[in-house]
Amino acid sequence: SFNSFKDFSSLVFLESCKIIIDAILGSGFCGDLNEELSSIINRINSLNSLKVAIDIPTGLNADTGYGKAVFNADLTITLAGLKPGLLINRAVEFCGKVECENIGIDASWINSSSDIFLSSKEDFIDLFPKRKKTGNKYTSGKVLSIAGSVQYPGAADFVSFAPLRVGAGASVLTVPKSGRGFFGHHKEIVIESYDDNNKGFLTYSAVEELSERISWCDVISLGPGLGRNDETIKGIEEILKKTIKKNVVIDADALFAISQIGLRNIDLSNKILTPHFGEFLMISGFSKSEVENNPINAGIEFVKAHKCYLVLKGPGTIIFCPNQKIIINPTGNSGLAKFGTGDVLTGVISGVLSQLKIIEDSLICSLSLHGYTADLLKFDMTEYGFTSSDLLSNLPKGIQKILSPND
């Protein structure tokens, strides 16, 4: 039978239900629920029943993954096709396990012209660099990491060793001369020091010493652990002027630097920026609500303005390309919310790109591998227990598992 309701008092029978199925609103919903429906959804969320959402949890925007009051599903059965809003932003809090089911809609009726894609294991298998039997350490990819300071030496170790873990042949790390003894945990990394006037960080005057290595490398990792000293910011600005035609992955303190320099004063064409949510607010000028309410639109506008590649890190990390293509990465878990995991990702991107030479393909592979390895570690060590060092050490296992025909 059908019953109408205005508040939870009309639905008190739900308290004894073992399963509650939500089919109140569908994927066309946008905005905020009205007060009455919000109070009902919040009350249902407090119950211990198994909760199943049909198509999309009520209150969640199917395009943006945002909602204030949202049905908290353990399982979401979405219909005809996956919606971006089930995979990004706050959706991970509300959707539970997501399954896509066919309801008889012919594939020709589904919009195939979308510029939003979901990366897959098959993409990784197709795109990941193949080893050449005649290759050598220099033809296998050369990465230069301009990273680290006396205050933050650990980031440099993560970012410079990760390229070797994903197949790059040569990795060089440049560090301040006065802090040389703080680096070198991985003996495979070539460490070169520049004159820092005993300051312990990158200075503007040191940049000229890096020119030869900048010309030598295929890809530069710029930022992790450099610090935020005014002299370092000037040094980063000078490096970006010298690397207009280079592949550069810009992360961490280099993101802070460009926010201080002003993005209009820098040519970011085809550069790769890898901010998390807070860093994106810092460099973009968007408000918190603008990005929360529609991260897809914010990313599109940013990339259109600066002609760069944007990797917006978070639950359902999103890759934005200058050609307006958007790729959502479904791998990874909350265990990545720890110091150092972003430094590892920067190194992975640089290492893969040094081999593939194609930015979009490299980003798809790198995000998939980084997140998939974290998912393996979640199974072995839980999201609480694994660290950035574990992530770095297990990248080869991640590669092996994804490429294995039996998995």
Side-chain angles (χ1 to χ4, degrees), residues 301-322:
E301 291 301 315
F302 183 85
V303 168
K304 188 183 297 183
H306 302 291
K307 299 178 176 60
C308 61
Y309 290 82
L310 173 68
V311 177
L312 185 55
K313 297 183 292 194
T317 292
I318 312 170
I319 302 167
F320 296 88
C321 305

Side-chain angles (χ1 to χ4, degrees), residues 130-407:
K130 309 300 186 289
R131 300 298 288 181
K132 295 181 180 179
K133 293 181 179 180
T134 57
N136 60 57
K137 59 191 173 186
Y138 298 120
T139 61
S140 297
K142 305 186 294 291
V143 178
L144 173 64
S145 298
I146 305 174
S149 60
V150 169
Q151 189 174 6
Y152 303 112
D157 285 327
F158 287 132
V159 75
S160 61
F161 194 54
L164 299 182
R165 285 289 191 190
V166 297
S171 178
V172 173
L173 170 64
T174 60
V175 301
K177 186 178 293 183
S178 66
R180 175 63 179 80
F182 289 91
F183 305 90
H185 296 294
H186 301 288
K187 304 306 180 185
E188 299 89 343
I189 305 301
V190 173
I191 300 179
E192 297 179 350
S193 56
Y194 50 79
D195 187 6
D196 62 323
N197 295 317
N198 209 37
K199 293 181 178 180
F201 51 77
L202 176 71
T203 63
Y204 174 84
S205 60
V207 174
E208 189 58 36
E209 295 183 50
L210 306 178
S211 296
E212 186 176 337
R213 278 301 184 188
I214 288 173
S215 299
W216 165 85
C217 68
D218 298 308
V219 185
I220 297 171
S221 295
L222 179 64
L226 285 177
R228 298 184 172 186
N229 186 279
D230 287 344
E231 290 187 65
T232 301
I233 292 172
K234 292 178 182 177
I236 290 170
E237 181 176 12
E238 184 64 18
I239 289 168
L240 290 172
K241 289 178 181 177
K242 287 178 173 288
T243 57
I244 291 175
K245 296 183 179 180
K246 279 282 181 181
N247 288 322
V248 183
V249 186
I250 301 172
D251 188 31
D253 292 324
L255 293 172
F256 175 80
I258 64 174
S259 76
Q260 300 303 297
I261 298 163
L263 275 68
R264 292 183 179 181
N265 300 319
I266 309 169
D267 184 355
L268 293 175
S269 301
N270 290 315
K271 297 294 184 283
I272 302 165
L273 280 64
T274 61
H276 54 59
F277 181 86
E279 290 170 331
F280 184 59
L281 296 183
M282 176 181 67
I283 63 174
S284 69
F286 290 118
S287 68
K288 181 179 179 182
S289 61
E290 285 176 316
V291 180
E292 279 186 338
N293 292 346
N294 199 333
I296 296 286
N297 185 64
I300 290 171
E301 291 301 315
F302 183 85
V303 168
K304 188 183 297 183
H306 302 291
K307 299 178 176 60
C308 61
Y309 290 82
L310 173 68
V311 177
L312 185 55
K313 297 183 292 194
T317 292
I318 312 170
I319 302 167
F320 296 88
C321 305
N323 62 5
Q324 300 299 296
K325 188 174 180 180
I326 298 164
I327 304 108
I328 298 171
N329 171 56
T331 65
N333 57 72
S334 67
L336 289 171
K338 295 188 178 86
F339 280 156
T341 58
D343 305 321
V344 173
L345 176 60
T346 297
V348 170
I349 293 171
S350 294
V352 175
L353 180 55
S354 72
Q355 299 168 77
L356 280 182
K357 310 295 193 294
I358 301 171
I359 296 177
E360 182 182 312
D361 293 354
S362 299
L363 292 176
I364 291 170
C365 289
S366 299
L367 269 293
S368 295
L369 174 60
H370 186 262
Y372 185 80
T373 303
D375 290 338
L376 292 177
L377 288 167
K378 174 186 175 181
F379 180 79
D380 291 336
M381 303 177 68
T382 78
E383 292 163 292
Y384 299 94
F386 75 82
T387 66
S388 300
S389 295
D390 298 317
L391 186 66
L392 185 62
S393 298
N394 281 273
L395 289 169
K397 182 179 179 182
I399 296 170
Q400 183 184 45
K401 284 283 188 179
I402 298 175
L403 296 181
S404 172
N406 297 320
D407 291 329

